[in-house]
Amino acid sequence: MNIFREETEQGNIDVTDSTILVVDDEPEILNIVVNGFSRFGFKMVTALNGEDALEIVAKDKIDLILLDIMMPGINGFDVLKKIRDNKQTWHIPVIMVTALNAPNDRIRGIEAGCHDFISKPFILEELLAKTRFLLKIKFLYEQLERSYEKLKSLEIMKDNLTHMVIHDLKNPLNTILLGLEFLQKRFQSKLAPEEKISLAVALRACYELKAIMDDLLDINKMEAGKIKLRLEKFDLAVLITEVIEQMKVIIVDSSKVLSSQIDKKMPEICADRKIIKRVIANIVNNAVKFTPSNGTILIKASFDKASNNFCVQIKDSGEGIPEEYLETIFDKFVQLNNNKFNVGHGLGLNFCKLMVEAHGGNIRVESKPGKGSNFIFTLPA
Ligand SMILES: Nc1ncnc2c1ncn2[C@@H]1O[C@H](COP(=O)(O)OP(=O)(O)OP(=O)(O)O)[C@@H](O)[C@H]1O
Ligand SMILES: [Mg+2]
């Protein structure tokens, strides 16, 4: 669907259906303008002073205002200011029709938010031309606004649909996962090596699928400002051991060595345990994916008293990341050419960044092509 197609081409915009408010304390001027403009089909409304003008603008749909400056009561500058200060009327184009010609008055008018000036006595055709021009701009602005609103609602529809699909997929996936985990626990010792590998590959695929779904749901929630962290105290060392155990079960290539170096004197951390576990699992999962056979992956964790920060590092001996990607790699959907098998969707690191930052921490990567990568994130105590 082309949401921009419905509207007229710019050159053919017909603005004669517009309603124009003329404000002037001289009835003769009102007559000249109303007669001149009505001939072309414009709907004309008039006011003899600023107070009436503001009342009309508040209740009727006005497309453009021709505004006198010197009037008894509220003058044109103040009327304009009130129109600009009001959320309902700030966008209405205003042409000031004035006997004042000094540059200072024009500057004052522009500062108050008028779009154009015309001096009295004016040539009607010139006023008509200026009016048509501003009405066309207003029409295009409104068209842009409508397109933007449509885009926003399409975006919301798309997000809702994504949510629904993911929710519907999660239940059957969990059932498959439970079945595979059961088979692995029950029969692992009896399986032939190639059967063990098949099971590990199937389990890994399920975990990856589940992680992608969870990441996508959480990123959406975080972007909509709807995610709430469930903070609790826990031992980071235990959590890292759990991630390693979980990964070991699904690492198919046993030549990759996954180890940890954890500071023994770390205090308990207060964070969302499930989320931090998924942050670490995401980075370790990448390290495993992008490290060739015989590579090493080391998880380090420490606590720095001076800064009161926990620091977790996941260092791999993989192919590394080019300098130009070191920051953008944390953006949604960014993937490098090293992703030979086109695995995943470039969501994992975006999830990690959003979640670490939601905890008040930060995340970065140090890497050089051919020299491995070191993902480092900190979390406040
Ligand atoms: N340790 C690493 N070594 C080399 N490249 C990496 C490493 N970690 C991430 N990358 C690169 O960064 C990209 C983005 O990683 P990210 O985790 O966001 O997405 P993904 O792993 O491709 O997919 P997803 O996490 O959604 O399953 C990866 O596709 C890969 O190109
Ligand atoms: Mg990933």
Side-chain angles (χ1 to χ4, degrees):
M1 173 172 42
N2 183 353
I3 61 162
F4 298 103
R5 210 178 40 206
E6 75 170 274
E7 311 286 359
T8 354
E9 293 277 311
Q10 183 175 341
N12 302 331
I13 299 168
D14 180 12
V15 291
T16 47
D17 201 26
S18 310
T19 306
I20 296 169
L21 169 65
V22 200
V23 191
D24 206 304
D25 58 327
E26 293 176 58
E28 311 87 77
I29 300 268
L30 293 182
N31 277 338
I32 294 171
V33 177
V34 169
N35 290 335
F37 276 59
S38 303
R39 277 191 290 134
F40 294 95
F42 291 107
K43 289 189 205 89
M44 304 303 289
V45 184
T46 57
L48 280 162
N49 55 58
E51 288 84 351
D52 288 356
L54 287 171
E55 233 175 79
I56 292 170
V57 169
K59 66 177 188 359
D60 296 341
K61 186 191 166 294
I62 299 295
D63 295 305
L64 184 139
I65 304 170
L66 302 173
L67 181 63
D68 185 20
I69 295 183
M70 304 290 281
M71 292 182 289
I74 320 177
N75 68 32
F77 293 123
D78 294 339
V79 172
L80 183 54
K81 189 168 180 328
K82 284 196 162 55
I83 289 171
R84 292 290 173 252
D85 286 348
N86 184 332
K87 261 203 297 211
Q88 313 296 329
T89 59
W90 71 268
H91 63 287
I92 302 177
V94 173
I95 299 176
M96 288 198 129
V97 185
T98 173
L100 299 176
N101 236 339
N104 274 353
D105 293 317
R106 288 183 171 249
I107 292 169
R108 222 178 130 192
I110 291 166
E111 279 174 355
C114 90
H115 289 79
D116 208 343
F117 282 94
I118 193 154
S119 306
K120 285 182 193 172
F122 52 80
I123 301 166
L124 193 68
E125 281 66 28
E126 188 186 350
L127 185 58
L128 265 164
K130 287 186 178 214
T131 301
R132 282 204 186 95
F133 176 69
L134 286 177
L135 284 171
K136 282 184 186 177
I137 291 182
K138 178 172 181 273
F139 178 88
L140 290 171
Y141 172 81
E142 286 170 351
Q143 179 181 323
L144 204 64
E145 212 172 35
R146 279 196 297 277
S147 303
Y148 177 64
E149 286 307 318
K150 272 189 204 164
L151 259 180
K152 272 204 311 199
S153 67
L154 280 176
E155 181 80 15
I156 292 171
M157 252 170 65
K158 189 198 77 192
D159 280 355
N160 289 346
L161 194 71
T162 314
H163 257 89
M164 255 167 46
V165 172
I166 293 176
H167 270 295
D168 289 354
L169 289 176
K170 265 180 97 172
N171 281 342
L173 178 66
N174 275 335
T175 312
I176 300 172
L177 206 53
L178 283 173
L180 291 175
E181 281 173 345
F182 170 77
L183 287 177
Q184 195 178 48
K185 270 201 193 106
R186 191 77 177 264
F187 300 110
Q188 181 80 340
S189 56
K190 297 182 185 131
L191 293 178
E194 65 275 19
E195 291 167 341
K196 276 186 193 167
I197 290 176
S198 295
L199 198 52
V201 170
L203 262 173
R204 188 186 163 86
C206 286
Y207 284 134
E208 282 206 350
L209 210 53
K210 190 167 179 308
I212 290 169
M213 290 174 177
D214 289 340
D215 288 355
L216 205 56
L217 287 177
D218 282 343
I219 288 170
N220 280 351
K221 267 197 215 158
M222 183 62 89
E223 285 173 345
K226 281 189 194 150
I227 202 157
K228 282 206 182 79
L229 299 176
R230 292 172 206 277
L231 299 182
E232 58 180 306
K233 283 195 160 184
F234 61 91
D235 186 343
L236 197 54
V238 174
L239 183 106
I240 291 173
T241 315
E242 282 174 21
V243 175
I244 292 178
E245 290 311 311
Q246 187 182 311
M247 289 307 297
K248 277 189 174 157
V249 176
I250 53 176
I251 292 182
V252 178
D253 182 348
S254 57
S255 73
K256 294 179 192 175
V257 180
L258 180 57
S259 61
S260 64
Q261 229 175 63
I262 296 166
D263 187 352
K264 293 262 169 352
K265 293 182 279 298
M266 272 198 307
E268 280 197 321
I269 188 170
C270 182
D272 188 316
R273 194 178 195 282
K274 270 192 183 166
I275 296 259
I276 297 303
K277 189 170 178 181
R278 278 174 47 210
V279 168
I280 299 174
N282 253 309
I283 304 174
V284 174
N285 193 31
N286 282 346
V288 173
K289 261 197 302 194
F290 301 109
T291 300
S293 297
N294 300 312
T296 56
I297 296 131
L298 174 65
I299 310 178
K300 282 186 177 178
S302 57
F303 177 71
D304 178 38
K305 258 194 192 156
S307 63
N308 218 19
N309 273 332
F310 290 88
C311 179
V312 179
Q313 303 192 34
I314 294 115
K315 200 170 171 5
D316 66 57
S317 65
E319 43 202 276
I321 298 159
E323 197 182 343
E324 64 267 27
Y325 279 103
L326 294 182
E327 284 197 17
T328 53
I329 203 174
F330 294 99
D331 293 346
K332 223 194 236 181
F333 307 126
V334 172
Q335 293 187 303
L336 276 56
N337 291 337
N338 63 359
N339 202 333
K340 295 180 192 84
F341 309 106
N342 212 7
V343 200
H345 292 83
L347 288 171
L349 289 178
N350 185 244
F351 168 82
C352 296
K353 183 175 165 68
L354 290 176
M355 297 305 153
V356 166
E357 287 177 355
H359 278 83
N362 59 63
I363 185 164
R364 66 194 163 89
V365 57
E366 290 171 354
S367 182
K368 280 210 171 83
K371 297 255 155 66
S373 310
N374 190 15
F375 283 84
I376 305 163
F377 73 87
T378 60
L379 293 171

